[in-house]
Amino acid sequence: MADALGIGIIGCGTISRTYLELAPRFSGLDIRACADLNRKAAEERASEFGLRAETVHDLLLADDIELIVNLTVPDAHYMVSHEILAHGKHVYSEKPLALSLREGQALSDYAKKKKKLVGCAPDTFLGGAHQTARQVVDDGLIGDILGGTCHVMSHGMEAWHPNPDFFYKPGGGPILDLGPYYIACLLNLIGPVKRVTAMTSTPFRSRTIGHGSRKGERIDVETPTTIHAILEFQNGATVTLTASWDVWAHGHAPMELYGTKGSMFVPDPNFFGGEVRLADRAGAIRTLNGADHPFSAANIEDNGVQRANYRAAGLADMAQSVLSGGGFRCSLDRALHAVDVMVSILKSGETGSFVDIEHPTTRPEALGAAEAALLLR
Ligand SMILES: NC(=O)c1ccc[n+]([C@@H]2O[C@H](COP(=O)([O-])OP(=O)(O)OC[C@H]3O[C@@H](n4cnc5c(N)ncnc54)[C@H](O)[C@@H]3O)[C@@H](O)[C@H]2O)c1
């Protein structure tokens, strides 16, 4: 049996560099080629990381590629993933998996027909911080989770991203773009969602690109940019999720969960590391830094800050499943549940009604320190 999977990448934009920098640190991943609609983007990434630059067509046909990572923009995810499956290869997609439950279900049915696996980001819930939080829940340290609050708020993406259009089109917006991190984290800690309700708004109808060669160009905003949602979980917990790109500053924590025996303050689910803080019934605070988990260790410098970044951990977990069998955590069913939750939040914002979540899923297995270490080279 091969000890590494031949992998290709379609979509050579901003996030492809992160995957290409971090993937070599994981076992089982051998990224060999990349492709993009924009041939120059593929050639640049290929020469930077010593890969073959292919056309999308040739990459889909390449004999040495068993899995393709789909790093295209959200509204191309479904079509590109479907093409990858059609060419008999496994898919690992960036989030969101698809832009509707119907599309996601069609992808799931097609993957079963083709007997291929589909995995999907985010994998930040596999980070040391979030697996430490998971251990807290599993050890009963805060008792049963009754509720919580999540806040992900800023003034959007046009200040730093050179092509921020997709953030403001259907498939973008703070719920479909950042919601996956929060929903995956909540699924890891609490379990599946039962129903949602929300109010949404779009206060700014256009945005101005602030960076790169298109600086000064305006983008029409075609999706809600402020969302106040409430998620009811199957275990009865109710969690408020506020996601906005209309906020210059705020003082809220990313995630707080309230249990029968105490509270837990969870660091930003968009990142792998950070401190988990626990409060007991008396309010005494204990800090856990997750130091014994390998995915807590700072391994990159980001604007002068040392951070833990283990992006590609979910891909490595899936690669083990392709190579040796067994399940993997960033699964299609979990991604499809997240799509259902996110589009239902937007639907509730339009209709003013509660929306039941249709796509069932399960909590992922915890990724303990020893198992995480095995995913690293
Ligand atoms: N940028 C980030 O920090 C970040 C972080 C996490 C996840 N993501 C996710 O990764 C995905 C890509 O984001 P990005 O920031 O790299 O975007 P990007 O716009 O920088 O790059 C996307 C690339 O995909 C190519 N592309 C688009 N449609 C294609 C198609 N049909 N076939 C082949 N190539 C195609 C584009 O030419 C472009 O080079 C998005 O889903 C985003 O949500 C991005």
Side-chain angles (χ1 to χ4, degrees), residues 153-158 165 167-169 173-174 200-209 218-227 243-249:
M153 302 195 291
S154 72
H155 218 278
M157 305 299 195
E158 67 275 23
D165 312 60
F167 291 114
Y168 295 102
K169 304 296 171 196
T200 63
S201 63
T202 314
F204 297 93
R205 293 287 166 180
S206 79
R207 300 273 174 155
T208 306
I209 301 178
R218 289 182 85 76
I219 307 167
D220 290 336
V221 178
E222 295 168 27
T223 189
T225 49
T226 287
I227 295 101
S244 178
W245 285 339
D246 301 310
V247 173
W248 290 114

Side-chain angles (χ1 to χ4, degrees), residues 272-307:
F272 290 80
E275 287 181 344
V276 174
R277 290 184 305 129
L278 299 185
D280 64 16
R281 286 175 172 140
I285 302 272
R286 183 150 67 100
T287 301
L288 306 175
N289 62 13
D292 60 342
H293 197 285
F295 294 174
S296 286
N299 60 345
I300 57 143
E301 194 183 303
D302 177 10
N303 289 324
V305 180
Q306 293 292 321
R307 278 192 201 283

Side-chain angles (χ1 to χ4, degrees), residues 122 125 130 180-190 255 266-267 269:
F125 72 92
H130 304 292
Y181 298 104
Y182 285 75
I183 293 161
C185 186
L186 291 168
L187 178 61
N188 177 46
L189 297 176
I190 307 179
M255 185 180 286
V266 181

Side-chain angles (χ1 to χ4, degrees), residues 10-15 36-38 56 71-74 76-77 79-80 94-95 160-161 166 177 181 311:
I10 298 183
C12 298
T14 307
I15 201 63
D36 195 293
L37 278 184
N38 173 356
V56 172
L71 302 183
T72 62
V73 290
H77 284 175
M79 188 196 67
V80 171
E94 249 306 331
K95 48 77 190 168
W160 66 273
H161 199 289
F166 73 83
D177 185 61
Y181 298 104
R311 206 175 289 264

Side-chain angles (χ1 to χ4, degrees), residues 70 74-83 97-99 103-104 106-107:
N70 179 357
D75 71 354
H77 284 175
Y78 168 74
M79 188 196 67
V80 171
S81 294
H82 195 276
E83 272 303 285
L97 175 74
L99 301 191
E103 269 183 6
L107 202 62

Side-chain angles (χ1 to χ4, degrees), residues 22-67:
L22 294 174
R25 304 178 190 198
F26 291 91
S27 55
L29 307 180
D30 182 6
I31 303 185
R32 295 175 179 162
C34 63
D36 195 293
L37 278 184
N38 173 356
R39 176 83 193 166
K40 195 161 159 268
E43 280 167 0
E44 277 175 14
R45 280 290 177 274
S47 80
E48 196 179 344
F49 291 95
L51 312 173
R52 289 193 322 264
E54 302 264 25
T55 63
V56 172
H57 176 260
D58 288 349
L59 182 60
L60 289 168
L61 293 173
D63 286 338
D64 64 338
I65 302 295
E66 291 163 80
L67 182 151

